[in-house]
Amino acid sequence: MPVSAFRTFYSLLFYLFIPLVIIRLLWRGCRAPAYLHRWGERFGFAPFLTGKAVIWVHAVSVGEVQASLPLMRALLSCYPHHTLLLTTLTPTGSAQVQKQLGANVAHCYLPYDLPDATARFLQRVQPLLGIILETELWPNLLHQCQRRKIPVILANARLSERSALGYYRLGVLTRDMLSKLAFIAAQGKADADRFITLGAPPERVQVTGNLKFELKLPPHLAAQGTSLRRQWGAQRPLWIAASTHEGEEEQILAAFKQVRKHYPTALLILVPRHPERFNRVHQLCQRQGFITQRRSEQRACAPATEIFLGDSMGELLLFFAASDVAFLGGSLVPVGGHNPLEPAALKRPVILGPHLFNFKGISHQLLEAGAATQIQTIQDLTQAVVRYLGDPQLRVKAGKAGQRVIAQNQGASSKIMQQITVLLSG
């Protein structure tokens, strides 16, 4: 069957599922009202961008937006007379764009991968070049870009074994998508090899490293973290469990009960990944008998408080800076973990669960360097937290190791910029 037939079948299925997509938007909007707005953008009704040539970058959500910042800053510096458009899929990603880049870039949601929606989006935006972060491969979007002779780079590209298997099952459709990419900037050799195995032309694939290693901390973050720590209690042992998911909080609270047997004044900073879960996690903490205070209450942390619930957006770095040790969520359940580089950059020892497939390479490097510890069970988690809280020298050693790993892996943005320059001047 020709690839055009596969793409047509895929598109028809997508159209059939649009009612369910709308129902899902409405359902998510009940918990996060931002999902109820800007639906036109999701169907390709992007703002018209006129007057300047456009470079388009796509980053799915908060993590990808954060990873894109070194590249975005390089683009702003090298192409000041172009309009930079940064698209996302989620409201939290949209908020991160506004917070980090503000009026320096244009922003809208990337449309659903429908033939008419993607064509409408590209017609309104008319980019000279598309840069898609990580592994957002959409058949109709790439087809429409090729029709309009818009080169597309897959930057910071990663492909886990699980994802590679899924793409392999799509057969000719995957090979067609990969053939339409002008360049694949892979995070590591294993990623590059998987793309080539799936059909990417080897001459278009290069290992450039991971943009996430080029994170830039706000200049006053350390001082702000020290100030927040004083508010929480300068002498209290502080442990943060960040970006937690459904099914993890119960395990973390069980470990925290054991930690408090060793450190009765310890404070747990608990930060759920998704805002729509803030209330449920707060209720869980209260049901288990913990004295819990919410960041949204905007009051000083009482000495009796046992759990501080980080129910705010954009403050995770600050919470890391104020804590002694950081556990990264999404790793006790099979979500695949979250970016461990932010606490590592702040010289905080990192604790990771067994499920790390989203950040396998980064996590392995931190674990090998002694900057992180991997745990399997609640008992392991308790022991790791107690060990780090009780040994300041171990925390310092882990913190320095994390910074070394970061310093040794920087340079991805400059390598990607070289390819962007080639494509834009060609």
Side-chain angles (χ1 to χ4, degrees):
M1 185 184 295
V3 69
S4 59
F6 276 107
R7 195 167 51 249
T8 299
F9 178 67
Y10 159 82
S11 300
L12 287 172
L13 280 179
F14 209 139
Y15 278 118
L16 288 173
F17 278 102
I18 286 298
L20 293 179
V21 169
I22 292 174
I23 289 170
R24 185 170 183 268
L25 280 175
L26 291 169
W27 179 77
R28 297 197 75 171
C30 293
R31 300 183 178 192
Y35 278 99
L36 300 176
H37 305 294
R38 299 165 57 189
W39 282 17
E41 295 174 15
R42 298 188 182 277
F43 291 91
F45 292 95
F48 285 101
L49 299 179
T50 58
K52 292 183 179 181
V54 176
I55 299 173
W56 157 52
V57 181
H58 176 61
V60 180
S61 192
V62 176
E64 292 79 13
V65 171
Q66 195 67 31
S68 76
L69 293 179
L71 184 60
M72 294 302 295
R73 294 187 182 108
L75 287 168
L76 286 167
S77 175
C78 294
Y79 297 97
H81 302 299
H82 290 60
T83 293
L84 297 189
L85 170 66
L86 182 53
T87 60
T88 64
L89 288 180
T90 68
T92 51
S94 178
Q96 188 75 354
V97 173
Q98 182 61 37
K99 177 185 175 185
Q100 297 289 349
L101 297 166
N104 291 317
V105 302
H107 167 70
C108 68
Y109 291 131
L110 186 72
Y112 295 124
D113 194 43
L114 303 167
D116 60 323
T118 53
R120 189 180 301 117
F121 166 77
L122 293 171
Q123 181 62 34
R124 286 170 169 249
V125 172
Q126 297 189 20
L128 293 178
L129 173 72
I131 304 165
I132 298 175
L133 265 76
E134 303 208 356
T135 321
E136 284 290 296
L137 299 177
W138 297 103
N140 286 317
L141 180 63
L142 291 174
H143 178 66
Q144 293 292 341
C145 285
Q146 186 186 55
R147 283 185 61 189
R148 289 165 172 77
K149 295 182 171 54
I150 301 167
V152 177
I153 293 174
L154 193 64
N156 215 41
R158 66 185 175 93
L159 193 63
S160 67
E161 292 179 10
R162 178 184 297 187
S163 296
L165 181 60
Y167 280 114
Y168 176 78
R169 289 169 179 158
L170 295 177
V172 66
L173 196 59
T174 294
R175 291 193 295 276
D176 180 68
M177 288 190 292
L178 293 175
S179 73
K180 289 180 167 69
L181 294 169
F183 182 70
I184 299 175
Q187 291 185 14
K189 186 177 184 302
D191 302 294
D193 290 344
R194 290 184 190 116
F195 280 113
I196 293 169
T197 300
L198 287 174
E203 68 275 11
R204 299 186 203 167
V205 182
Q206 180 182 332
V207 177
T208 57
N210 194 332
L211 284 171
K212 287 185 168 69
F213 282 104
E214 299 187 27
L215 75 172
K216 186 177 181 181
L217 299 176
H220 304 298
L221 183 61
Q224 292 169 346
T226 300
S227 176
L228 181 58
R229 185 184 180 94
R230 285 197 295 265
Q231 296 175 34
W232 284 343
Q235 303 305 316
R236 299 185 71 174
L238 302 181
W239 163 37
I240 182 171
S243 298
T244 58
H245 288 254
E246 190 78 42
E248 287 189 308
E249 288 89 5
E250 291 85 354
Q251 299 181 65
I252 290 163
L253 294 181
F256 185 51
K257 288 178 181 177
Q258 298 303 313
V259 170
R260 284 182 63 84
K261 292 180 179 179
H262 297 267
Y263 298 99
T265 63
L267 177 68
L268 170 64
I269 299 92
L270 183 58
V271 188
R273 177 71 174 181
H274 299 112
E276 59 267 28
R277 299 188 59 246
F278 288 160
N279 289 335
R280 280 183 287 162
V281 174
H282 181 240
Q283 292 165 5
L284 172 66
C285 294
Q286 290 187 314
R287 282 199 308 272
Q288 295 212 11
F290 291 104
I291 301 171
T292 307
Q293 185 174 324
R294 303 176 69 148
R295 176 65 166 176
S296 58
E297 294 172 8
Q298 293 296 317
R299 60 185 177 88
C301 183
T305 299
E306 297 168 318
I307 295 177
F308 186 90
L309 183 66
D311 60 345
S312 60
M313 298 300 296
E315 291 195 301
L316 189 55
L317 275 176
L318 175 61
F319 296 157
F320 283 138
S323 302
D324 292 316
V325 57
F327 167 79
L328 265 293
S331 61
L332 280 174
V333 292
V335 169
H338 293 292
N339 185 5
L341 291 176
E342 291 179 342
L346 286 160
K347 303 181 186 178
R348 299 301 182 264
V350 182
I351 300 174
L352 304 168
H355 303 286
L356 302 175
F357 50 83
N358 285 339
F359 292 89
K360 188 175 181 180
I362 291 173
S363 299
H364 180 71
Q365 286 181 273
L366 292 175
L367 289 166
E368 273 203 335
T373 295
Q374 187 173 23
I375 55 92
Q376 301 292 328
T377 66
I378 296 172
Q379 291 74 22
D380 293 342
L381 177 58
T382 301
Q383 291 171 8
V385 173
V386 168
R387 184 172 70 254
Y388 278 127
L389 290 180
D391 193 339
Q393 291 185 338
L394 181 62
R395 296 201 301 269
V396 169
K397 183 179 178 181
K400 289 181 178 178
Q403 287 200 315
R404 282 196 300 273
V405 170
I406 292 170
Q408 291 164 1
N409 285 274
Q410 295 184 335
S413 60
S414 62
K415 295 175 184 176
I416 297 171
M417 284 297 297
Q418 290 174 10
Q419 293 299 321
I420 291 171
T421 301
V422 169
L423 290 170
L424 287 177
S425 61

